[in-house]
Amino acid sequence: MNLSFASTHSPIGFYFKQSPRDFVVEEIPLYSFGGEGAHLILKIRKKSLTTFEMLKILSAHLGIKESEIGYAGLKDKNALSIQYISLPRHLAAPKIESFSHSNIKILSATYHNNKIKLGHLKGNQFFIRLKKLNSFNAQKILEVCSRVAQVGIPNYFSYQRFGKESDNYRLGLEIIEGKRKIRNKKIQNFLISAYQSYLFNQWLSLRIDISHLIATTASNLLSKALKFYLSCDEIPLEFHDIAYCKMLQKQPHFFKIFYGDFLCHYPFGKNFILDETSDLIAESGRFMRKETAITGLLSGKKAKVSEKEAGFLESKFLDSRIKSVGQRRYAWIFPENLSFYYKEQEAQGEMNFFLPKGAYATNLLREIAHREIIEETKEELESCENEILFGD
């Protein structure tokens, strides 16, 4: 994955490892709960447990199936996590008061008409503690946070998606190619989604590289530079147009927008495509103001595919053999309420920020540090991966 976006700062040194003390995540619901209905809604705080482990514990105590418990997202094991779940009221309400567990605390309870489903959240609020941080690097973090708040960050899928050896996507590709058969549908879908995520990350890295190329290459040489970089003989005619290349360079946001791109109103809204009548400089300004954001493709059925120049680049990472449902995902996100506080005597920094659903806090740390962040041991990653692959 590309380590650079609009910033070119040198790597920043600090130590980070996920733990309930140093990594806190709180889920923000998509909607408010009505207070009445057939589902008991619990706000739960857990630590040192995956979401699946928590569901098993609750299922065993309440005598209900795990499939009857609704949840909006999976939360990290090595964290202090706050999330909402829904339970059938008539089954859970009589027994929930007697529930007790050292790593699970029920913070509040209410009721609602509907079961909570995967994706029913606005996003997550994070607290992260960085250690072994000197004052010089703390100042650099403050400067980078200011820049990130202004221009955002690329929305890569993080390492959690790819397994301890970062090769889950290869297994997913083998399934797509018919070279590997897996009976367990849950495992199969997980591996295919890893392959979809890998293609998305590769496309996003290419778009970042091309944005750098546009910013650093004379407009009359851009077509030759693109041919060389892409190792192809033909590129869209627009890239041969010097006026068009100059227009790309004038876009205020670093991440360049092309005709045929699918954008989405940010942070929630409908996708829309940019045709030749669109003012790309104006659209880049809206992007800079966090009113819209570019989307990338997760290959699969029913997914909308980009067109024109954007489609030319996207086609290099389109796999029509994927039969899973595809979708479009934000290629770029804007962390909100981003703050950083340095405790000099402890040589520690504290970060608070909000990310929309589907975004990874590890990506923000990675962009700020301008280097890879290894926050879990292989053993911890394997434990988490096994819960996803083999949980009931």
Side-chain angles (χ1 to χ4, degrees):
M1 292 185 292
N2 197 312
L3 272 169
S4 177
F5 58 109
S7 180
T8 56
H9 64 278
S10 58
I12 298 176
F14 57 77
Y15 175 80
F16 172 73
K17 186 173 186 296
Q18 276 192 220
S19 70
R21 182 177 180 273
D22 298 330
F23 189 84
V24 181
V25 54
E26 179 172 359
E27 189 174 271
I28 308 300
L30 182 61
Y31 43 75
S32 57
F33 303 111
E36 295 292 337
H39 296 273
L40 173 63
I41 308 296
L42 300 181
K43 183 179 182 180
I44 288 183
R45 185 179 69 206
K46 68 175 183 66
K47 65 177 180 178
S48 303
L49 293 171
T50 66
T51 297
F52 290 125
E53 289 171 337
M54 177 188 71
L55 297 182
K56 286 180 181 179
I57 293 168
L58 287 166
S59 171
H61 175 82
L62 299 172
I64 62 177
K65 296 179 180 179
E66 288 180 50
S67 59
E68 294 182 283
I69 306 176
Y71 59 94
L74 302 177
K75 296 295 177 284
D76 300 77
K77 178 173 185 174
N78 300 302
L80 186 67
S81 303
I82 298 172
Q83 66 181 121
Y84 293 82
I85 63 170
S86 64
L87 303 159
R89 180 174 182 172
H90 67 289
L91 296 175
K95 299 181 180 179
I96 196 64
E97 288 188 5
S98 63
F99 176 78
S100 178
H101 192 279
S102 59
N103 288 351
I104 301 173
K105 182 176 178 60
I106 298 173
L107 301 178
S108 66
T110 185
Y111 299 99
H112 194 62
N113 289 324
N114 303 320
K115 179 181 181 180
I116 296 176
K117 295 184 179 181
L118 199 62
H120 283 192
L121 72 161
K122 290 181 181 178
N124 297 288
Q125 183 70 34
F126 293 92
F127 167 84
I128 288 178
R129 181 178 285 109
L130 309 177
K131 298 180 178 179
K132 300 180 182 179
L133 179 65
N134 63 37
S135 58
F136 175 74
N137 282 323
Q139 181 59 39
K140 288 174 67 176
I141 289 177
L142 275 173
E143 294 169 359
V144 177
C145 282
S146 176
R147 182 63 174 160
V148 164
Q150 180 185 10
V151 302
I153 60 172
N155 191 26
Y156 283 115
F157 284 98
S158 197
Y159 70 91
Q160 296 98 320
R161 199 76 165 183
F162 303 109
K164 63 184 183 298
E165 301 298 336
S166 300
D167 61 354
N168 281 345
Y169 77 92
R170 297 183 187 275
L171 302 178
L173 175 57
E174 290 177 4
I175 294 171
I176 297 300
E177 293 175 334
K179 297 177 181 179
R180 179 181 293 269
K181 293 183 179 180
I182 295 179
R183 293 181 181 180
N184 189 311
K185 196 73 173 179
K186 190 174 185 179
I187 298 175
Q188 175 178 288
N189 291 340
F190 173 73
L191 295 173
I192 291 174
S193 72
Y195 177 54
Q196 291 173 303
S197 304
Y198 169 79
L199 293 175
F200 177 92
N201 278 3
Q202 294 300 302
W203 166 83
L204 183 51
S205 283
L206 175 67
R207 286 290 297 259
I208 290 173
D209 286 343
I210 288 178
S211 293
H212 276 299
L213 199 63
I214 291 170
T216 57
T217 305
S219 54
N220 62 323
L221 299 176
L222 185 56
S223 60
K224 291 183 179 179
L226 281 171
K227 282 185 179 181
F228 178 79
Y229 178 77
L230 296 171
S231 300
C232 62
D233 296 326
E234 295 298 330
I235 58 175
L237 291 175
E238 286 80 2
F239 290 123
H240 293 279
D241 184 339
I242 295 177
Y244 176 74
C245 294
K246 287 182 178 179
M247 180 269 295
L248 293 177
Q249 293 174 333
K250 289 181 180 178
Q251 291 184 20
H253 198 284
F254 156 77
F255 194 76
K256 303 307 178 186
I257 298 175
F258 302 122
Y259 291 130
D261 259 324
F262 269 102
L263 273 65
C264 186
H265 296 283
Y266 192 87
F268 307 105
K270 294 182 178 180
N271 293 336
F272 61 96
I273 197 167
L274 300 179
D275 59 23
E276 299 95 327
T277 64
S278 304
D279 184 338
L280 297 190
I281 294 179
E283 289 295 343
S284 182
R286 294 177 67 197
F287 179 27
M288 192 80 177
R289 295 192 298 273
K290 309 173 188 177
E291 297 173 10
T292 64
I294 300 172
T295 68
L297 177 69
L298 291 175
S299 290
K301 296 188 300 182
K302 300 181 180 181
K304 296 179 179 179
V305 181
S306 296
E307 301 174 5
K308 299 190 177 297
E309 305 96 87
F312 169 77
L313 298 172
E314 192 169 270
S315 66
K316 298 180 180 299
F317 307 98
L318 170 66
D319 195 330
S320 59
R321 299 170 297 178
I322 298 175
K323 303 306 179 185
S324 305
V325 175
Q327 60 179 298
R328 299 204 68 87
R329 165 186 169 87
Y330 281 124
W332 208 266
I333 57 168
F334 299 93
E336 298 177 30
N337 305 320
L338 176 58
S339 65
F340 175 76
Y341 177 71
Y342 181 54
K343 295 182 174 180
E344 188 169 8
Q345 287 187 338
E346 292 91 344
Q348 296 180 1
E350 296 180 349
M351 294 183 64
N352 288 276
F353 54 92
F354 170 85
L355 294 179
K357 66 178 180 180
Y360 292 85
T362 47
N363 273 337
L364 176 58
L365 283 185
R366 182 175 174 271
E367 292 294 339
I368 288 175
H370 205 65
R371 59 182 173 84
E372 294 293 349
I373 301 294
I374 305 299
E375 52 176 284
E376 291 186 325
T377 65
K378 286 188 177 182
E379 290 76 13
E380 289 169 329
L381 242 180
E382 184 175 19
S383 173
C384 182
E385 182 183 15
N386 285 341
E387 283 297 325
I388 295 173
L389 292 180
F390 306 112
D392 293 336

